[in-house]
Every structure is written in C-alpha cells, then in structure tokens.
C-alpha cells in the first residue's frame, strides 16, 4: 500500500517538473540565485595604498583587519575605538581633498567599521535616529555610557514618541529584554552572516514566487489537461490520489526550498566564512536595537524557518485557490498579492495597522527584518514579539488548510 | 452482475440533461445512441461517479454506487469523450501512474501494461511522449488505461470520435475483443459503430431512453417503413420536404431516394428492409452531426 502511495507521489512530483514551463521556472530561479549570490559576495577592501580590492583578496583583507579588533566590547575597547577613530579622522590623509588620500584613511578604519556604526547607534539623539558622522565627535569619556545609552534611548522613546503604542506591560517587557542582553558584547569578523541576512529576503521571496508557480497546477492541471475524468473515476481518485497531490506539494516546496538555501548558504559562508556564528545579533549595528536576544546562527535559523513556514502556507493556499477556481492562474497570483499588498498598507503607519501587518504571512518571508520590528502581542497573558506568534500561527493555518484542500478536491464533480 | 438505473435524473441550472431513466444492464455490450445534446455524456459521467444525480439512483448488484465509493470505482474502466492526459509523460509513465491510482501494485501494473500495450498495438511507442501521439494513438492509450484494472464495467464515451475509417474499424474490433465477460457501455452518434459491436442498443433523446433492444428488435418495432423511390430531378425537393429521406443516390434519370414513411410515398415506391441507420433517422430526424457536446 505504502509503495503505491509513494509511487503516486513520485508521479505527481514528476508531473510538476516534466512541464517545460516548470523547467524554465527552475532555470530562472537558479539564474536569479546566481545573481543574488554574486551581489552577496561583492565585498570590497581598500588596501594601505588606497586601492580597492575585490574577491577573495578583499575577504582576507577585511577579515584580517577586523580580527585585529576582535574581543569583548568593554569600556576599554570602546575607548580605544573612539580614540582610533578620532586619530584616523585627524590624519592629513583623512583631511585631504584627494580621493586616494581619503581612501588610504578609510583603509585604516576598516577594522573598526562595524564598531563605529554601533557607536553611531548607541550615542544617537533618539532610538530611531542615525548620524553617520556622530562617532567622529565622541571622546574617550563617552565610552562608559555605551550600553547604558541603549536602554536609555529605548526608555526615552517609550515615554515619548511611542508612549501610546504600547501598554505598560509591553514597555516593561521591552526594557526587560534590553536588560537581558549579555554585556559586554563580543566583536569579531562576521561578514558572512551579515551578507546572508542582507539578501535572504530576496532569496525567500523569489523562491516563493517560483514555488507558487510550480505548485499552482498540482490540482488544477487535471482540469486543464482534462485528465480529471480518469482521475476521479479511479479507485484511489477521491482519496489516496488527493493525498499524494498534497504530499507532492509538500515535497516540491521542501525540496526546492532546501536546495535553494543549501546552495545560497553554502556559497556565501564558504566564500565569506562562518566566523561570528555565535555572536549576539546586537554585535552588528543593523540589529543593535533588536529586543530578541539571539545569536547570528539563531537569527539565520529564524529566517530559514520563517521562510519555510511562509512558503508552505502560501503554497498550500495557492493550491486551495487553484482547486476552488479550477485554474492555476489565480493561484499563481496568491504569493504575488501576499508579498506586495502589505507594502501598500504599511504606508498608513498607525500602530494598530502595524500590529495587523505584523501578522501577515509576508513577514515570514522576511523574518530577518521582522526581528527588528517592535510589534508585540499578548498570547495567553504572555507578551512576545511577532516572529514566534506568526511562526506558530501559520504552522497551525497550514495544517488547517490541508483537510480543507483534501475535502474540497475529493468532492469535485466533473460535469 | 447488475447495473441498475432507477428514475435517474440530472438537472443543471435550467436544463434537465437526463430525465427519469430506469434501465438495468448486465454482461454484454450496450450501445448508447443519440444525437448531440441527448444526455449521453451526462448519463455516463453519473455512471462513473463524476456527477451526482439530482434524483433517482444507480446501484451495482443492489448497492448504491456513490456509497460504494472506491469499491465501485475499482471495477470501473472509463474512457471519456475528451480523453485528457499528461502531455509530458511517456505512454508508459502515464499508464504506470494511472495503474497506481487504480490500485494496482507496481509488479502487476508492469505486467498488465505490457499485455495491454501489445493488445492496442502500442508496444513500440511506449516511451514516446503523450503529446507527440496521433489522435488514434491517444485513443488507444485511452482504452488501455480504461482496461488497466481489468474492469467489470467498461464505459466508453464516443471512443471512435475523430478517428479515420481504418482506425475506427481497428478500434471497433478491439472493443469487441475486450467485451468478453464484462459490461461494456459505449456511446456514439456513429450508427455503424453500434451496429457492429453492440448487443443491446439504447436510443437516447432529450435526456430519455426512447427505445431499447437489439438491432433487429428495434428495427422490427420501427413504426414507419422504408421505401425506395426513383425520382426525377425536379421531384427531389418535393420528397425532401415531405418525407424523411435517409439517402439520395444520383442516377442518370434523377435520383434514387430512400424514404422513411408509414405511407407509400409514390406509386413506384418499393418496400425496402430497414437498417439501423434508418431507425436512427426515424428517431432523430435530420439532427445528425459529427460532434457530440457534453450536456
């Protein structure tokens, strides 16, 4: 029995990939993946002569420069970075008008580039402000306030601009989360992870669009090909054959998604290195304000996991639409609409709308970005961020879609 | 082995496609004859559990076929009128997949496919893609898939539609070969197909079975007679308008007309032996055509 079912599933998968248009879609995915990887690996390093290096030479140059400053970001280290930055900014090369001289000055600061960005965040006038040149105006005496400022800026924001956006419990939760960050942070080279995070939403969304196309026809092509009559008049046509289609959808999503992320992760990390996998995400200025206390690896797992749940949910939703409409065309549009419509609603900008937007499935496709949002939800009396909520919510919704999909398809009448 | 239709009715929004049909079938070949829109396809789709009746019932050996669910479909083979397939599958892959949804174990499926491909003369094209097959070849694959589960009930909807004469003859012979020890119901609007294969003929019109029986019985019960009339050229129009003319054969003097009428149409008219084609014309008038729609 099992053998027959898996055989059916294999043929269902074969139906998907045997189509010329599917082959083109997969080729397109690989092509755009290639371009994305090209951009992700596009690292530059300026040497002591002011010449720009690219490729592996740039990676090793940048790595060596940043490794020189690796270690705990304690007060002493912050003090040294502030001093070094000021020293560089006051050199004749930095003050010169000549581009090459400026590039030479820039080359000296590449080792502390990321810490300099952290300083810009930590000493900003407000939580949501950023001034690229702020670090240049700091003195060594400011070093002591580095971590304190983070919580202070949050408090000021919660009491000012965002005072009506959160309940008192939510405010306490955020401050508590900030307080739970392990200090001092550790600094190290982590370009591999930063580049992975940067291009992951593009990879997930692109994969979703292609998956949407691939799975949209699993059910509805039976109508388009007019093979529905033979299918539904067969012994397993209204039970196991339907299950095998659902399994095929699951297999296609899982296989394509896994392949894409194995290739993407493998290429980027092999090229740029895995250093920094266990560092807190706040070690990078992009996540300095983030209230989730997780490491780079954990963040990446959230991105992969969120993307996978999002792809599964949207794929099965597409399949359901294709069954209801008996056509793959509206089904293909589902991921497109889900990805692009929230960006229009987002412009409204009210806190309530933000909470709703935070629960939309597109957030799963950009889980790395979602980690930076201050969207909080109270679930069973416990306050939590949006990512755990949508991960659980859409896992449940995906499971709920399956029996609906099964029952709707098996009851189809062929007139 | 009994397939029983009791007061079977199928209504769509504003049309009744099948109206109160009661009929019982057992082993043998049944030919469903009717013009386009007579309700043949709708009736067959109900027999294949693809459509649920609006009223009445269909039972197999006393059990409701819709309640039997998979157990009924297990003994069913169906070749739809517009036989669809997976264009990028090879013939072999298509049959292997169909075998799996029909519940055949892979080992059995392989043996069965080998036999059927030989039977339908498709052994050499087993690894050709379905989309590259000719119309006749596709129909042959269609009959092979219908026969995969060695069904007790074989339903063939317009199996010879669109085939050239030699393919049609070949197909008719194939159906006759396969008809042994099972119930075969085939629909067509091509009289000669039914005449050669079917033991029992069901004449369907406007959703109802108007008459049923063997070819000989139906012809014997024909309410009108068939006449041969030698007519001058200028008389042809008159006969065409006044009578049902089943055939016109041009001669030097004018034409020899085959007329269906209860009265003698002319003094010179000669009584002829009726054929199934005459019967078809008698029941369905002038409404003959090449295509069958899907009401």
């Amino acid at each position: 029995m099992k053998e027959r079912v898996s055989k059916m599933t294999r043929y269902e998968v074969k139906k998907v990939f045997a189509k010329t248009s599917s082959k083109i879609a997969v080729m397109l995915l690989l092509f755009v993946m290639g371009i994305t990887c090209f951009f992700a690996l596009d690292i530059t390093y300026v040497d002591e002569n002011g010449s720009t290096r690219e490729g592996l030479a740039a990676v090793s140059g940048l790595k060596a420069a940043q490794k020189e400053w690796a270690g705990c970001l304690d007060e002493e280290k912050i003090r040294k970075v502030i001093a070094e930055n000021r020293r560089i900014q006051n050199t004749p090369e930095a003050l010169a008008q000549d581009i090459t001289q400026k590039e030479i000055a820039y080359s000296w600061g590449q080792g502390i580039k990321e810490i300099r960005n952290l300083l810009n965040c930590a000493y900003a006038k407000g939580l949501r402000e950023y001034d690229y040149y702020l670090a240049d105006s700091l003195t060594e005496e400011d070093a002591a306030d580095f971590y304190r400022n983070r919580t202070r800026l949050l408090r000021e924001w919660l009491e000012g601009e965002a005072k009506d956006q959160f309940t008192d419990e939510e405010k306490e939760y955020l401050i508590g989360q900030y307080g739970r960050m392990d200090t001092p942070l550790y600094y190290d080279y982590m370009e591999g992870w930063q580049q992975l995070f940067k291009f992951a939403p593009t990879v997930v969304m692109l994969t979703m669009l292609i998956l949407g196309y691939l799975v949209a026809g699993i059910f509805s092509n039976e109508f388009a090909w007019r093979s529905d009559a033979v299918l539904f008049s067969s012994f397993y046509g209204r039970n196991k054959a339907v299950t095998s289609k659902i399994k095929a959808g699951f297999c296609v999503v899982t296989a394509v998604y896994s392949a894409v992320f194995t290739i993407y992760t493998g290429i980027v990390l092999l090229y740029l290195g895995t250093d920094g996998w266990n560092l807190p995400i706040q070690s990078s200025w992009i996540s300095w304000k983030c209230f989730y206390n997780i490491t780079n690896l954990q963040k990446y797992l959230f991105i992969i996991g969120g993307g996978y749940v999002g792809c599964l949910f949207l794929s099965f939703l597409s399949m359901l639409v294709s069954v209801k409409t008996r056509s793959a065309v509206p089904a293909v549009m589902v991921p497109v609409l889900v990805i692009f419509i929230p960006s229009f609603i987002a412009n409204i900008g009210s806190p309530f709308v933000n909470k709703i937007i935070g629960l939309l499935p597109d957030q799963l496709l950009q889980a790395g970005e979602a980690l930076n949002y201050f969207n909080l939800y109270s679930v069973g009396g416990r306050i939590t961020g949006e990512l755990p909520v949508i991960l659980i919510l859409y896992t449940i919704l995906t499971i709920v879609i399956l029996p609906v999909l099964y029952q709707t398809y098996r009851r189809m009448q062929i007139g | 082995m009994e397939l029983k239709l009791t007061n079977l009715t199928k209504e769509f929004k504003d049309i009744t496609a099948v109206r109160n049909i009661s009929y019982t079938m057992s082993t043998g070949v049944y030919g469903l004859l009717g013009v386009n829109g007579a309700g043949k396809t709708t009736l067959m789709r109900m027999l294949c559990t693809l459509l649920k009746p609006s009223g009445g019932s269909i039972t197999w050996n006393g059990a409701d076929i819709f309640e039997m669910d998979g157990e009924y479909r297990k003994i069913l083979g169906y070749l739809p009128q517009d036989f669809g397939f997976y264009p990028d599958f090879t013939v072999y892959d298509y049959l292997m997949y169909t075998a799996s949804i029909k519940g055949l174990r892979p080992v059995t499926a392989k043996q069965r496919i080998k036999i059927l491909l030989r039977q339908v003369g498709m052994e050499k094209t087993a690894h050709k893609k379905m989309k590259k097959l000719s119309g006749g070849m596709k129909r042959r694959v269609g009959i092979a898939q219908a026969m995969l589960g060695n069904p007790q009930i074989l339903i063939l909807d317009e199996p010879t539609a669109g085939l050239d004469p030699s393919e049609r003859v070949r197909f008719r012979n194939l159906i006759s070969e396969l008809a042994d020890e099972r119930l075969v119901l085939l629909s067509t609007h091509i009289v000669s197909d039914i005449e050669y294969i079917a033991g029992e003929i069901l004449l369907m019109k406007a959703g109802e079975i108007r008459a049923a029986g063997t070819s000989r019985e139906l012809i014997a019960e024909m309410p009108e007679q068939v006449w041969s009339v030698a007519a001058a050229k200028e008389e042809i129009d008159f006969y065409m308008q006044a009578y049902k003319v089943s055939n016109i054969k041009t001669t030097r003097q004018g034409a020899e007309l085959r007329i269906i009428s209860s009265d003698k149409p002319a003094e010179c008219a000669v009584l002829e032996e009726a054929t199934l084609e005459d019967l078809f014309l008698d029941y369905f008038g002038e409404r003959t055509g090449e295509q069958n729609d899907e009401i």
Side-chain angles (χ1 to χ4, degrees):
Chain A
M1 184 74 77
K2 261 187 179 176
E3 191 186 4
R4 264 195 304 261
V5 174
S6 69
K7 190 105 186 160
M8 263 188 254
T9 308
R10 278 209 297 275
Y11 277 115
E12 288 297 344
V13 173
K14 192 170 181 174
K15 277 187 211 169
V16 173
F17 291 107
K19 286 190 294 174
T20 310
S21 59
S22 296
K23 287 174 189 160
I24 294 169
V26 172
M27 296 291 282
L28 180 71
L29 176 63
L30 289 173
F31 176 71
V32 183
M33 271 278 298
I35 293 175
T36 309
C37 285
F38 173 78
F39 284 115
L41 304 180
D42 188 25
I43 302 292
T44 55
Y45 173 73
V46 180
D47 65 17
E48 62 278 12
N49 302 317
S51 306
T52 303
R53 287 190 200 169
E54 289 172 342
L56 281 171
V59 175
S60 61
L62 194 64
K63 198 172 192 174
Q66 293 189 349
K67 285 278 182 192
E68 266 184 46
W69 289 87
C72 283
L73 271 182
D74 53 13
E75 194 180 326
E76 185 57 30
K77 177 67 68 69
I78 299 294
R79 197 186 303 273
K80 280 185 185 171
V81 171
I82 291 172
E84 176 66 5
N85 181 57
R86 215 181 38 224
R87 186 193 69 74
I88 294 167
Q89 298 309 322
N90 290 322
T91 56
E93 286 84 352
L95 296 169
Q97 294 300 311
D98 180 58
I99 298 288
T100 312
Q101 294 301 307
K102 277 200 174 296
E103 287 289 275
I104 291 170
Y106 174 81
S107 76
W108 299 329
Q110 287 170 111
I112 56 165
K113 191 175 66 175
E114 192 60 40
I115 309 173
R116 190 183 175 283
N117 279 330
L118 287 174
L119 296 176
N120 289 333
C121 295
Y123 295 94
K125 284 180 186 163
L127 188 75
R128 304 181 76 175
E129 288 187 33
Y130 181 85
D131 175 2
Y132 179 77
Y133 298 102
L134 182 72
D136 302 344
S137 62
L138 297 175
T139 62
E140 284 96 317
E141 285 71 45
D142 293 323
D145 296 329
F146 182 69
Y147 292 110
R148 268 203 299 274
N149 272 357
R150 183 169 176 264
T151 312
R152 179 181 61 79
L153 287 174
L154 174 71
R155 279 183 194 279
E156 285 173 8
W157 182 67
L158 290 174
E159 284 159 15
E161 192 188 334
K163 71 173 181 201
D164 298 327
Q165 281 184 36
F166 302 98
T167 62
D168 289 344
E169 290 78 22
E170 287 172 338
K171 286 175 186 172
E172 262 178 50
Y173 171 82
L174 285 174
I175 292 165
Q177 283 293 100
Y178 264 46
R180 276 189 279 278
M181 184 180 83
D182 281 338
T183 53
L185 292 170
Y186 194 88
Y187 175 71
D188 200 348
Y189 167 85
M190 50 178 172
E191 202 65 20
W193 297 97
Q194 283 181 321
Q195 291 299 95
L196 270 185
F197 299 151
K198 193 171 169 185
F199 291 95
T202 310
V203 175
V204 178
M205 286 188 197
L206 177 75
T207 309
M208 182 59 245
L209 292 176
I210 299 294
L211 279 174
Y213 177 77
L214 293 177
V215 302
I218 289 181
F219 287 89
S220 60
N221 276 346
E222 300 290 346
F223 307 118
W225 288 328
R226 295 182 174 273
S227 47
D228 49 353
V230 171
L231 176 79
F232 286 116
S233 62
S234 300
F235 179 44
Y236 287 139
R238 291 190 187 270
N239 41 56
K240 289 192 170 71
V242 186
T243 313
S244 74
K245 282 183 181 292
I246 292 173
K247 283 184 183 172
F250 180 79
C251 290
V252 169
V253 173
T254 307
V256 171
Y257 190 84
S258 309
V260 163
F261 266 89
T262 305
I263 294 168
Y264 175 64
T265 312
I267 289 175
V268 174
L269 290 185
L270 274 175
Y271 195 85
L272 298 176
T274 57
D275 310 58
W277 65 271
N278 55 349
L279 297 185
I281 55 172
Q282 287 82 1
S283 303
S284 162
W285 72 280
I286 293 285
S287 300
W288 169 254
K289 293 172 222 167
C290 182
F291 65 86
Y292 295 91
N293 294 311
I294 52 177
T295 64
N296 282 326
L297 178 64
Q298 286 167 331
K299 177 177 175 177
Y300 195 56
L301 291 176
F302 263 120
I303 291 171
I304 292 179
Y308 179 62
V309 172
C311 285
L312 267 185
F313 171 75
L314 289 175
S315 297
F316 282 116
L317 187 65
S318 293
M319 286 188 247
L320 184 61
V321 170
S322 81
V323 168
K324 289 275 186 193
T325 59
R326 296 188 179 214
S327 166
V329 180
V332 172
M333 293 306 292
V334 170
V336 180
L337 295 176
V338 168
I339 289 170
F340 293 109
I341 283 185
S343 57
F344 293 109
I345 310 171
N347 293 332
I348 297 169
S350 94
F352 176 73
V353 173
N354 284 344
K355 283 212 172 196
I356 301 289
I357 290 172
L359 293 176
L360 295 179
D362 70 303
Q363 296 295 303
L364 287 168
L365 306 183
Q366 43 185 341
E369 309 299 316
L371 283 170
N372 292 330
Y373 301 147
F374 286 86
N375 279 336
L376 298 178
Y377 300 89
S378 183
V379 182
R382 258 190 81 186
I383 293 165
T384 183
E386 75 170 56
L387 202 55
V389 174
I390 55 174
L391 267 172
I392 295 166
L393 176 69
Y394 284 100
T395 304
I396 293 168
L397 285 177
T398 306
I399 294 166
V400 168
I401 285 179
L402 300 183
V404 178
L405 182 60
Y406 177 83
Q407 290 299 338
T408 311
Y409 197 64
R410 80 179 296 265
R411 287 178 184 165
M412 284 276 158
Q413 293 212 35
I414 312 302
Chain B
M1 201 151 87
E2 184 186 78
L3 187 65
K4 192 175 180 182
L5 287 61
T6 313
N7 296 325
L8 192 66
T9 300
K10 181 66 191 179
E11 288 167 350
F12 293 104
K13 274 180 193 169
D14 47 0
I15 16 168
T16 304
V18 171
R19 197 187 301 266
N20 253 342
I21 289 181
S22 294
Y23 194 75
T24 304
M25 290 176 267
S26 55
T27 318
V29 181
Y30 293 81
L32 195 56
L33 196 59
V35 292
N36 302 337
K40 303 189 298 287
T41 297
T42 304
L43 174 63
M44 291 192 142
R45 292 200 163 186
M46 284 194 282
L47 291 173
C48 293
T49 69
L50 296 173
L51 277 176
K52 282 200 168 167
S54 311
S57 66
I58 308 168
T59 56
W60 171 251
N61 293 337
D64 186 283
I65 63 165
F66 291 94
E67 282 169 19
M68 284 174 76
D69 200 27
E71 287 309 309
Y72 172 74
R73 295 194 302 269
K74 196 174 189 175
I75 56 158
L76 179 73
Y78 175 47
L79 172 62
Q81 180 189 346
D82 47 354
F83 166 61
F85 48 84
Y86 311 114
D88 292 294
F89 270 24
T90 62
V91 171
Y92 184 78
D93 277 344
Y94 172 73
L95 291 174
M96 278 301 283
Y97 170 72
T98 311
S100 71
I101 59 172
K102 284 177 184 281
L104 269 69
R105 282 184 293 119
V107 182
T108 317
K110 280 176 192 168
Q111 291 168 350
R112 192 90 188 108
I113 288 167
K114 202 174 170 185
I115 295 167
L116 285 166
L117 283 177
R118 196 183 321 127
Q119 211 161 359
V120 299
M122 295 283 291
E123 279 169 302
K124 288 179 184 168
T125 40
H127 296 287
K128 206 169 176 178
K129 283 199 173 178
M130 290 290 290
K131 63 183 175 189
K132 300 207 167 151
L133 301 180
S134 68
M137 284 172 160
K138 282 172 193 163
R139 286 262 137 197
R140 279 190 263 163
V141 177
I143 191 89
Q145 68 76 24
M147 286 300 296
L148 270 171
N150 201 13
Q152 291 178 54
I153 303 170
L154 183 61
I155 295 179
L156 310 169
D157 194 356
E158 297 280 344
T160 57
L163 299 184
D164 61 39
S166 60
E167 279 279 9
R168 187 177 289 167
V169 171
R170 190 187 172 129
F171 218 82
R172 281 202 311 239
N173 295 339
L174 181 63
I175 294 166
S176 293
E177 271 176 48
L178 300 172
D180 195 32
E181 288 301 305
R182 69 183 98 235
L183 189 165
V184 180
L185 175 65
L186 69 107
S187 81
T188 185
H189 58 268
I190 301 164
V191 179
S192 57
D193 286 349
I194 293 273
E195 203 162 19
Y196 284 105
I197 323 171
E200 190 97 355
I201 298 165
L202 288 77
L203 293 177
M204 200 169 172
K205 189 176 183 182
E208 293 173 340
I209 293 178
R210 294 285 171 90
T214 62
S215 172
R216 193 168 293 179
E217 283 166 358
L218 287 171
I219 291 166
E221 286 167 16
M222 196 172 148
E224 295 183 278
Q225 289 174 308
V226 180
W227 306 89
S228 173
V229 176
K233 275 183 188 170
E234 56 275 18
E235 292 173 327
I236 295 174
D237 273 353
F238 162 74
Y239 285 114
M240 291 284 284
Q241 283 171 14
Y243 299 99
K244 285 177 187 168
V245 178
S246 72
N247 195 45
I248 303 172
K249 188 179 166 187
T250 311
T251 60
R252 275 187 192 171
Q253 291 76 28
E256 195 179 310
L257 306 181
R258 195 173 170 83
I259 293 173
I260 301 163
S261 169
S262 45
D263 311 320
K264 193 174 182 180
E267 273 304 311
C268 60
V270 179
L271 194 63
E272 294 278 338
E273 200 175 319
T275 64
L276 198 58
E277 214 158 68
D278 298 321
L279 177 81
F280 185 84
L281 196 77
D282 190 27
Y283 270 97
F284 304 114
E286 301 281 318
R287 294 188 62 215
T288 55
E290 271 302 298
Q291 287 178 332
N292 188 23
D293 62 22
E294 286 189 36
I295 298 177

